[in-house]
Amino acid sequence: MDKDTIVKLAEIVDTAAMNAEPIEMLTASYPELDLERAYDVQRASMARRFNRGEKLVAMKMGLTSRAKMEQMGVHNPIYGHLTDEMMRSNGDAIVRSEHCHPRVEPEVAFILGKDLVGPVTSAEALDAVEWVCGALEVIDSRYKDFKFTLIDVVADNASSTRFFLGETRKRPEDLDLGNLGMVMELNGKVAETGSSAAILEHPARSLAELANMLAERGEKLVAGQIVLAGGATKAIHVDTGDHVHLTVQDLGTVDLFVE
Ligand code: 0L1
Ligand code: MG
């Protein structure tokens, strides 16, 4: 697949995200698109955002739970890029009309105190973490009727759209990071319960995997960057008027509204 095609596909996914207009999966028209090239499309779509003035502030891991991997028939997680334009403050609202079919998932996020260059072990990855907090990620696949392959999702920046961090920050050594209980409520009713253990068995493993996948491309995570480790439960659909409230053991709460 040549560079012009990568740039064209990046324009298609970026425009779909900007206009909240669902598209057919790319692999239907470009069956030669493979995982490597899909990450090229993801980077080319990010380059378009950076040209519009957005700044990279975070990375995310996706498809980190067994349930989600089985659902997609894959064995490896994926990653995506998150910008300042995607970040919202705890308690803010997302705008329903800016999204195709938004869903929300409960996560744990890291804030790095040091650069992190793979290959690393989970322990080495954790050593680069300054703070841990709870997070809500809003994902919004741009594909019509949720029909896509893993390759399509990667090209679509792992369905990234918005993310919210909790205000409570803890050092990793002050938490039972591998088994934090999480309860996600929708409009005052418990919608999902889970544990951070569902995030690749330990969120630190997810962080290490991310550093290792980036290292394959000669890239690294840098001090100050945020990393969303992945969803601990299924994502829930949200619509106008909804309120999602997440409680993470020892990490307080995170709220988002849909307007
Ligand atoms: O954050 C993630 O787990 C990415 C999910 C990508 C697939 C989807 O949109 O469900
Ligand atoms: Mg996620």
Side-chain angles (χ1 to χ4, degrees), residues 154-175:
V154 167
D156 185 26
N157 195 24
S159 305
S160 306
T161 189
R162 302 279 182 264
F163 67 102
F164 294 67
L165 301 185
E167 280 141 23
T168 305
R169 308 271 148 104
K170 292 263 174 81
R171 303 276 184 204
E173 58 273 21
D174 295 333
L175 291 165

Side-chain angles (χ1 to χ4, degrees), residues 153-208:
V153 178
V154 167
D156 185 26
N157 195 24
S159 305
S160 306
T161 189
R162 302 279 182 264
F163 67 102
F164 294 67
L165 301 185
E167 280 141 23
T168 305
R169 308 271 148 104
K170 292 263 174 81
R171 303 276 184 204
E173 58 273 21
D174 295 333
L175 291 165
D176 181 9
L177 188 56
N179 190 19
L180 295 171
M182 300 170 84
V183 180
M184 184 166 66
E185 291 166 52
L186 177 64
N187 303 326
K189 291 200 181 106
V190 173
E192 292 290 337
T193 57
S195 157
S196 59
I199 305 167
L200 280 191
E201 276 129 39
H202 195 298
R205 189 167 155 215
S206 184
L207 179 62

Side-chain angles (χ1 to χ4, degrees), residues 26-90:
L26 300 180
T27 52
S29 305
Y30 297 86
E32 69 275 27
L33 184 64
D34 63 15
L35 194 61
E36 257 330 269
R37 297 291 79 79
Y39 275 115
D40 289 343
V41 173
Q42 182 182 127
R43 281 175 174 76
S45 77
M46 294 314 295
R48 293 173 60 87
R49 286 180 178 267
F50 301 147
N51 284 337
R52 294 197 292 271
E54 294 184 39
K55 305 265 179 297
L56 181 73
V57 292
M59 298 289 295
K60 65 169 267 189
M61 286 290 273
L63 307 180
T64 47
S65 69
R66 291 261 164 264
K68 227 158 165 181
M69 281 191 206
E70 272 164 27
Q71 195 184 8
M72 299 274 312
V74 298
H75 306 285
N76 294 309
I78 58 173
Y79 62 84
H81 296 73
L82 303 173
T83 70
D84 55 345
E85 279 291 311
M86 302 179 187
M87 191 167 176
R88 294 289 179 273
S89 299
N90 186 11

Side-chain angles (χ1 to χ4, degrees), residues 83-123:
T83 70
D84 55 345
E85 279 291 311
M86 302 179 187
M87 191 167 176
R88 294 289 179 273
S89 299
N90 186 11
D92 274 358
I94 62 161
V95 178
R96 173 66 187 88
S97 60
E98 291 176 359
H99 306 285
C100 297
H101 19 232
R103 289 169 296 147
V104 179
E105 51 189 22
E107 305 220 2
V108 168
F110 298 118
I111 300 167
L112 301 183
K114 299 180 196 169
D115 289 3
L116 184 56
V117 190
V120 284
T121 62
S122 300

